[in-house]
Amino acid sequence: MKWNRSDLLRLLPWGLLGLALIFFAVLGFSSEEAAGCAVSISADGSHLGDLLTTSDLEIQINGLPLSLDLSQTAPIAAPLSLSRETANILTWTTSDRDLQLSWNGQKLTSPAAIEVDQLSPQTTATLTIRKGDCRRNVTVQTLPDSFPAVQFTGHSLSEGDYYGDLMNDDGDSYIFKMDNDGQLLYYYRGFYNKSGSVMNFQKHELDGVTYYSFFEPTANVSDHLLYMGVQYGHINILDDQYQRIKQVELLPSDALPTGGMCENHEFLMLGENHYLITGSVDQNIWMSSEGRYVRIKAALIQEIQNDEVIFEWCSSDYPALLKQSVENNDYTNTNDLYYAADYAHINSLCVDPGDCNVIASFRNLDEVLKIDRKTGEILWTLGGLGDDFGLTEEQLFSRQHYAKLTDAGTLLLFDNGNANEQTRILEFKLNEKNRSVTSFQEMIVAGKYSFATGSVMKTEADTYVIGWGTGSVHSLMSEIDFENREVIAEIIPAYGQYSYRVVKFK
């Protein structure tokens, strides 16, 4: 068949239209979308440019930014925090009033409550962003890929949920809440760098109101001198919907004239705007045994109420503690990892409901001290070189953590057991008046050794929830019935994961 010029000119527009339809079909765009959305696309087809790419859209979920790259043809995003228990609040800002957002097909107005049924990298939602015929479908993972693949075994019958943290060397750290079947209920993703990682996730019930808190290190490592074993940052306080309502740091005081970052080991919420916080202070003090000034890292406790320091205790005010130190007591300051002698190293606090005084654990003293909350006087010392209770060799502990009073009035602690490389759970009943131990119980999981960090709590079912800290090689957490020698539940980590604490709150 012979074609003349007029036939070719008549067919040319139809041919061009056909080629355009084929082109946009290959790219995944309909002709209707293409008609109102000018698109440029990269050679490999992975990135494009249109009205959405250049928008100033900023999205937040639960008050935290959702990182999005709208130049991608198939963007994937993971929120920094999500909850299965509560509605998650999605908000956005943009100067473009024509932008529209929808979640799984439901149109949104800011702020919007979104709900998720499962927290998993494989469970996703679709966030659609549209302007005219320009559209981007964002796949939202309900759990980031970097969340460690932990296993949960068993089933717990004790009341409450597990609160813990996870960290590795991949740059992310997490706090998490998990139920008695190991279902993830909430997470928050923080960073992990030389400053530290997010940790010490707690629940607080105050006059029927629920709060949560956790420690978050400073994001800028230049904000402070890096130091082995102590992290610096602030406490985040959340409401019962996991929305951040306040950040807490140390306030200016006699020991810390400029105030500033607290440290990572402990935080107690005693009431609304009423806290006990731990800190550390670098000081130069005269040490007669050395015949010179030495640099120490003194342990600090601040009680803050309504933004005022109402009580403060600093270990350097009690020189006898310098001689009772068993670790990091290089007062010549020649250790490169410890530029100051961290001779005390506070790591837990609790308040005795009987007299309202403070019980504090000091790792590098091998001691638990009771401190008068009005005068600062050391009322008694349990363990270590300053022991007032005549502990036997079996009852002595080393590098302990998490010394807390139980509901029954016993003192329960996680004995790291550095002296014998065997970690134990110890429970004391003390006669404070006579300075004697009226009952003592030792619980051991053979072969378990955690040289630092860790925790233990006793449940109403007489089981013990143990966070293994640096001994997390085989389990981050074990809930154990020691009387019946039964492991009730465990959180088993992937290789290279470890935790600061795992505790249980009703």
Side-chain angles (χ1 to χ4, degrees), residues 359-376:
I359 296 175
S361 168
F362 294 86
R363 178 188 188 273
N364 293 344
L365 301 177
D366 283 354
E367 295 177 350
V368 176
L369 308 182
K370 189 166 194 178
I371 299 168
D372 189 298
R373 208 158 129 211
K374 293 181 179 178
T375 66

Side-chain angles (χ1 to χ4, degrees), residues 324-343:
Q324 294 171 18
S325 176
V326 294
E327 189 171 321
N328 292 348
N329 50 13
D330 173 21
Y331 300 120
T332 63
N333 303 132
T334 56
N335 190 322
D336 291 338
L337 293 177
Y338 301 95
Y339 61 81
D342 182 21
Y343 68 98

Side-chain angles (χ1 to χ4, degrees), residues 59-126:
I59 299 175
Q60 291 190 334
I61 295 181
N62 294 331
L64 302 166
L66 182 68
S67 180
L68 281 178
D69 183 0
L70 293 180
S71 72
Q72 295 183 348
T73 55
I76 298 175
L80 294 175
S81 178
L82 278 180
S83 165
R84 284 180 56 193
E85 300 177 295
T86 62
N88 300 278
I89 307 303
L90 186 150
T91 60
W92 70 88
T93 57
T94 179
S95 60
D96 193 337
R97 296 183 178 180
D98 294 329
L99 282 180
Q100 297 180 355
L101 277 71
S102 61
W103 182 269
N104 287 337
Q106 298 295 315
K107 187 177 179 180
L108 302 178
T109 56
S110 182
I114 57 174
E115 296 185 359
V116 296
D117 297 325
Q118 191 74 22
L119 299 179
S120 164
Q122 291 74 42
T123 303
T124 61
T126 301

